[in-house]
Amino acid sequence: METHLSGNTVENKKIILKCYTNGTPLETDLELKVGEVLKLEVPKGSNGVLVKNLYLSCDPYMRGRMQDFQASYIPPFSPGSAIEGFGVSEVVDSDDPNFKRGEFVAGITNWEEYTLIHKTGQLRKIQQDDVIPLSYHVGLLGMPGFTAYAGFYEVCAPKKGEYVYVSAASGAVGQLVGQLAKLHGCYVVGSAGTSQKVELLKNKLGFDEAFNYKEELDLEAALARYFPQGIDIYFDNVGGGMLDAALGNMRVQGRVAVCGMVSQNSRTSVQSFKNMFSLISKRITIKGFLQSDFSHLYPRFLEEITSNYKQGKIVYLENMNDGLESAPAAFVGLFSGKNVGKQVIRVASK
Amino acid sequence: METHLSGNTVENKKIILKCYTNGTPLETDLELKVGEVLKLEVPKGSNGVLVKNLYLSCDPYMRGRMQDFQASYIPPFSPGSAIEGFGVSEVVDSDDPNFKRGEFVAGITNWEEYTLIHKTGQLRKIQQDDVIPLSYHVGLLGMPGFTAYAGFYEVCAPKKGEYVYVSAASGAVGQLVGQLAKLHGCYVVGSAGTSQKVELLKNKLGFDEAFNYKEELDLEAALARYFPQGIDIYFDNVGGGMLDAALGNMRVQGRVAVCGMVSQNSRTSVQSFKNMFSLISKRITIKGFLQSDFSHLYPRFLEEITSNYKQGKIVYLENMNDGLESAPAAFVGLFSGKNVGKQVIRVASK
C-alpha cells in the first residue's frame, strides 16, 4: 500500500536496478526502495503528466536493459534508479492539455507508485470498458499482443492450411499467435514447460496440439512427431536448441519469425546448430523483428483484436501479482516460466 | 585422350563415385574408369541425344550428392556409376528433332567422354561466340552465374549505396555477386583464402576492398574494420564462423543470403553462433535459396549478363584443368580453395 504523507505528498515506493547484471536476472538484482517524498502535482511549465501506476508489465526484453550494453536497440537502465516498462496508469495531475486528471493511459512508465512522465507523446489514452480489463492494455492490446499480430501477419506471411509451431506458446505473445493462426485456418502446435500450460493450450487457447518440451529428450524428434508433414511457420520465442530443432523440421519455403530468445542466458550466449544447412536445402527464411517497426499497423491491430475479443473469438491468460513488492519475483519468474500467461503486477487498484 | 575403337565405337572413360562418403570429399572417393564400349549412335526411338562432353563443371553442391542422404533437394549419386553435373557438350547423334549433330548444348551430363542423354528437356542450346568461351555456359552464364544473379537481386534486394560483403568472393558465384553489387552502386568487400585471390578481387574484379580470412584471428573484428558502418547485405558462401562474424556486424534491417556452406564438413556439422541475438536487435533476415526457384528469370539473366560481359563491364575468372583424369583432384580442390575462379574441366577440345 502506498503511504500518504502530509497533504498531497507520498512516499513513492519504487523498484530499482541495483547494478548491471549478465545472465539470467535474479530477484536480488532488483530492490524495493522508498523513494523521495513526492508532491502529487506536476510542475507548471513542464508539459508533463503525473500518473498513478495501476499495472506494470513484466516483459522478457527488459532483461536486455539490465545489462551494461549501450549498442542495443534500447538503452540500458540506470543502476540506482527505478526501472521502466510498459504500464497502465491513471492521470493524477497534468500540465499537458492532451491529458486530464482521471483519464487512463498506457505507455512507458517507471516501476514505482507515481511517475512524472515528460515524454507524453508515447502515452495512449485508454477507455475503461466493461468487457476489457485495463491491464490488457499491457498484454493483449499492448506490446505483446501487437508483437504477436505484427509477427504473425507481417513476418510469417501465413497462408490458410499451413502448419504453424509456436514455442513459449502460453506466454504473453505465444498465446495470441496460436489463436490468430487458428483464426487464419492454420494447424497449430504449441510447446510450453508444464503440463498445466499444455492443458491450457489445448483446452482453453484452441491449439490443435501441445506438448511439454521439458519432457522431450529429443526436441527435433518431438517436432517430427507433431509435424509429420513438416513446419511451414515457426514463431520462435526461445531461440537456441528449439530453433535448431525446428530448422530440422521445416518445409520448403518455411519461415521462422524470431521474436525472442528467452532460452538464452545472455546476449552473447553461444548457441549450437546442426541444422543450418536446411536453410539452403529447404530455402528457409529466418527473420528477426521488433514490433516497433510496424507501428503503422497499431490502429488496425487494436480494432481487430478488440473486436475479436468482444466476439469471444480470442481469450487471454494473465498472471496477476499483487503489489509492487511482488515485482522482483514476478519479473524473474519469466525466465523460469513461472508465469502462466501474461505476467502483470497490480500496483494499485483503480 | 579418348580411345577410338574399331568403327564408330569408343572406350568411354568416366569418373565414378566409389562409395558414399561423409565429410570433405577426397580424391580417392572418385575414380577414373574405362567404361563399356560405346557405339556413337543414338538408339532409334529413344528420343535421346548422344553428346561429346567438352567442359564439366565442378560445383560445391555436388558434395551433397556423394552422401547417402535421400531427403535432400537432389538425389545422391549411385556408387559405381559416373557422377553427373553441369557440362557443355557437342551433339554427336540425335534422335530428338530439337537437336542436331554438331550443335552445342549446356545442361546436366555425366562425367565421362560421351553421354547418352534422355532428359533432353533440360538441355539448353548454345551458340558458339567469338567473345564468350563455350565453357562460360557452366560458369558466368550457367548455374553459378545465375545463382549470383538471382541471389543478389532477388534475395538480397539491394539498394544503391548499401554495404555488401561477399565471402568466397573469387569463386564461381562470389566474383559475379561482387561485380553486380558494384554495378548496382554498392560498396563491396570480399574475402578469400590467399593473397593472390585478394589481389584479384581488388585489381581485376573491382571490389572496393578484400582481405584474406586466413590471416585474421578474429573474423568479427576484421569485418568491423572493413565495415565501420556495418553490413547491409552479406552474401554467404561459407556458413559457420563467417556467418556468425557477419551477424555481429550487420546493420538494422540487414539481409543475409545463404547460398553455400563450403566451410561445413557435412550436412549436420555443428556450428556455434554467439551473435544470434542480433537477429532480433538488428531485425536481420537470413534467407537460404536455390537458384532453381528463380528459373523464370533465367532468360533475363542471360541477356543482361551477356550484354554486360560484351561491353566489358563484367569479367570472369576460370580455373581450367585439362583432361577427365584431372577431374577428381580439381573437384576436391574446391573444398580447400585451390581453384582461382570457376573450376572447369576440359574433357575434349571442340
Side-chain angles (χ1 to χ4, degrees):
Chain A
M1 289 298 288
E2 68 191 58
T3 310
H4 277 266
L5 303 179
S6 64
N8 63 346
T9 57
V10 289
E11 254 188 2
N12 193 25
K13 289 198 211 85
K14 51 187 69 193
I15 303 290
I16 64 154
L17 174 69
K18 279 157 71 180
C19 55
Y20 287 125
T21 170
N22 266 308
T24 305
L26 303 172
E27 250 183 90
T28 50
D29 295 330
L30 299 170
E31 190 175 29
L32 180 76
K33 273 220 165 169
V34 173
E36 58 286 2
V37 170
L38 184 74
K39 203 170 173 189
L40 292 181
E41 265 175 29
V42 178
K44 292 299 162 215
S46 70
N47 289 313
V49 298
L50 182 75
V51 299
K52 177 178 182 178
N53 295 313
L54 307 177
Y55 300 102
L56 297 175
S57 175
C58 295
D59 295 297
Y61 83 89
M62 297 168 73
R63 171 171 60 178
R65 305 192 68 183
M66 296 171 70
Q67 298 169 16
D68 187 15
F69 182 68
Q70 302 287 340
S72 187
Y73 60 96
I74 188 165
F77 294 135
S78 297
S81 297
I83 64 173
E84 64 174 27
F86 290 99
V88 171
S89 316
E90 184 178 356
V91 176
V92 171
D93 191 22
S94 173
D95 189 47
D96 180 327
N98 296 311
F99 297 94
K100 290 194 190 62
R101 183 185 162 89
E103 288 182 329
F104 296 99
V105 294
I108 305 278
T109 189
N110 289 348
W111 281 33
E112 58 193 357
E113 292 173 313
Y114 291 85
T115 303
L116 178 59
I117 298 176
H118 288 99
K119 292 182 179 165
T120 56
Q122 50 90 15
L123 295 176
R124 185 168 59 82
K125 238 184 269 193
I126 54 179
Q127 304 298 326
Q128 264 198 291
D129 187 297
D130 288 344
V131 180
I132 298 184
L134 276 177
S135 60
Y136 278 24
H137 290 278
V138 293
L140 179 64
L141 299 175
M143 184 275 285
F146 186 52
T147 300
Y149 182 89
F152 182 64
Y153 291 118
E154 301 298 310
V155 181
C156 297
K159 289 187 274 292
K160 193 178 164 176
E162 286 193 318
Y163 297 93
V164 175
Y165 171 52
V166 186
S167 56
S170 70
V173 176
Q175 60 174 306
L176 184 56
V177 172
Q179 293 181 82
L180 293 178
K182 283 309 296 172
L183 288 174
H184 204 75
C186 298
Y187 181 85
V188 188
V189 179
S191 61
T194 68
S195 54
Q196 180 203 6
K197 292 177 183 179
V198 168
E199 282 311 302
L200 286 167
L201 288 171
K202 289 198 281 193
N203 300 326
K204 181 128 175 103
L205 295 165
F207 284 61
D208 293 292
E209 281 288 350
F211 67 95
N212 181 347
Y213 73 91
K214 289 182 180 165
E215 289 175 355
E216 300 291 342
L217 290 174
D218 181 339
L219 291 173
E220 194 170 338
L223 287 175
R225 221 165 57 231
Y226 285 101
F227 292 97
Q229 294 91 345
I231 299 168
D232 292 299
I233 291 174
Y234 172 38
F235 195 101
D236 184 17
N237 291 305
V238 303
M242 189 65 94
L243 174 54
D244 195 33
L247 287 177
N249 281 283
M250 297 302 287
R251 302 181 89 189
V252 165
Q253 305 289 0
R255 286 138 277 151
V256 178
V258 183
C259 174
M261 293 192 171
V262 77
S263 74
Q264 299 309 301
N265 287 332
S266 82
R267 186 180 302 281
T268 54
S269 291
V270 172
Q271 305 182 33
S272 292
F273 288 85
K274 67 181 184 57
N275 291 317
M276 288 300 271
F277 193 78
S278 302
L279 278 175
I280 300 176
S281 59
K282 302 288 180 63
R283 292 84 106 190
I284 297 167
T285 301
I286 305 181
K287 194 164 168 49
F289 75 100
L290 292 174
Q291 49 83 29
S292 48
D293 289 332
F294 299 93
S295 49
H296 59 290
L297 300 175
Y298 201 82
R300 194 176 86 191
F301 150 77
L302 268 186
E303 195 184 310
E304 279 182 33
I305 300 300
T306 302
S307 162
N308 275 326
Y309 181 77
K310 290 194 172 182
Q311 292 173 59
K313 292 183 183 168
I314 282 175
V315 296
Y316 199 65
L317 305 179
E318 254 186 356
N319 197 133
M320 185 69 76
N321 283 39
D322 263 310
L324 201 54
E325 62 280 8
S326 72
F331 176 70
V332 166
L334 289 177
F335 303 98
S336 57
K338 261 197 190 159
N339 56 309
V340 179
K342 167 66 193 167
Q343 179 66 55
V344 184
I345 296 149
R346 189 187 345 250
V347 183
S349 295
K350 185 200 46 91
Chain B
M1 290 297 286
E2 68 191 56
T3 310
H4 277 264
L5 304 177
S6 63
N8 62 347
T9 58
V10 288
E11 258 188 358
N12 192 26
K13 288 198 212 88
K14 53 187 68 193
I15 302 291
I16 64 155
L17 174 67
K18 279 158 72 180
C19 56
Y20 288 126
T21 169
N22 266 308
T24 305
L26 304 173
E27 252 184 88
T28 50
D29 295 330
L30 299 170
E31 190 175 27
L32 181 75
K33 273 223 165 167
V34 174
E36 58 287 3
V37 169
L38 183 76
K39 203 169 172 189
L40 293 181
E41 266 175 26
V42 177
K44 292 297 164 216
S46 70
N47 289 314
V49 298
L50 182 75
V51 300
K52 178 177 181 177
N53 295 313
L54 307 177
Y55 300 102
L56 297 175
S57 176
C58 295
D59 295 299
Y61 83 90
M62 297 168 72
R63 171 171 59 177
R65 304 192 69 183
M66 296 171 70
Q67 298 169 16
D68 186 15
F69 182 68
Q70 301 288 339
S72 188
Y73 60 94
I74 189 166
F77 295 135
S78 297
S81 297
I83 65 173
E84 63 175 27
F86 290 100
V88 171
S89 315
E90 184 178 357
V91 177
V92 171
D93 191 19
S94 172
D95 190 47
D96 179 328
N98 295 312
F99 296 95
K100 288 194 190 63
R101 182 185 164 90
E103 289 182 328
F104 296 100
V105 293
I108 305 279
T109 190
N110 289 347
W111 280 33
E112 58 193 358
E113 290 173 315
Y114 290 86
T115 303
L116 178 59
I117 298 176
H118 289 98
K119 292 183 179 165
T120 56
Q122 51 91 13
L123 295 175
R124 185 168 60 81
K125 238 185 268 193
I126 54 180
Q127 306 297 327
Q128 265 198 291
D129 187 298
D130 289 345
V131 179
I132 298 185
L134 276 176
S135 60
Y136 278 24
H137 290 279
V138 293
L140 179 65
L141 299 174
M143 185 275 286
F146 187 53
T147 299
Y149 181 89
F152 182 64
Y153 290 118
E154 300 298 310
V155 181
C156 298
K159 289 188 273 294
K160 191 176 165 178
E162 286 194 318
Y163 296 93
V164 175
Y165 171 51
V166 186
S167 56
S170 70
V173 176
Q175 61 174 307
L176 184 55
V177 172
Q179 293 179 84
L180 294 178
K182 283 308 297 172
L183 288 173
H184 203 74
C186 299
Y187 180 84
V188 188
V189 178
S191 62
T194 68
S195 54
Q196 179 203 5
K197 291 177 183 180
V198 168
E199 282 311 303
L200 285 167
L201 288 170
K202 290 197 281 194
N203 301 325
K204 180 128 176 104
L205 294 165
F207 284 62
D208 293 292
E209 279 290 349
F211 67 94
N212 181 347
Y213 73 91
K214 291 182 179 167
E215 288 175 355
E216 300 292 342
L217 289 175
D218 181 339
L219 291 173
E220 195 170 337
L223 287 174
R225 219 163 61 230
Y226 285 101
F227 292 98
Q229 294 91 346
I231 300 169
D232 291 298
I233 291 173
Y234 171 37
F235 196 100
D236 183 16
N237 290 305
V238 303
M242 189 64 95
L243 174 54
D244 195 34
L247 286 178
N249 281 282
M250 297 301 287
R251 303 180 88 189
V252 166
Q253 305 289 359
R255 288 137 275 153
V256 178
V258 183
C259 174
M261 294 193 170
V262 78
S263 74
Q264 300 310 301
N265 287 331
S266 83
R267 185 179 304 279
T268 54
S269 292
V270 172
Q271 306 181 34
S272 293
F273 288 85
K274 69 180 180 62
N275 290 317
M276 289 300 271
F277 193 78
S278 301
L279 278 174
I280 300 176
S281 59
K282 302 288 179 63
R283 292 85 105 190
I284 297 167
T285 301
I286 306 182
K287 194 166 170 46
F289 75 101
L290 292 175
Q291 47 84 30
S292 48
D293 289 331
F294 299 93
S295 50
H296 58 289
L297 300 175
Y298 201 82
R300 194 175 86 191
F301 150 76
L302 267 186
E303 195 183 313
E304 279 182 34
I305 301 300
T306 302
S307 162
N308 275 327
Y309 182 78
K310 290 194 171 180
Q311 291 173 62
K313 293 182 183 169
I314 283 175
V315 297
Y316 200 63
L317 304 179
E318 254 186 358
N319 198 133
M320 185 69 76
N321 283 40
D322 265 309
L324 200 54
E325 62 280 6
S326 73
F331 176 71
V332 166
L334 289 177
F335 303 99
S336 57
K338 262 196 189 157
N339 56 309
V340 178
K342 167 67 195 166
Q343 179 65 55
V344 185
I345 297 149
R346 190 188 344 252
V347 183
S349 294
K350 185 201 44 93

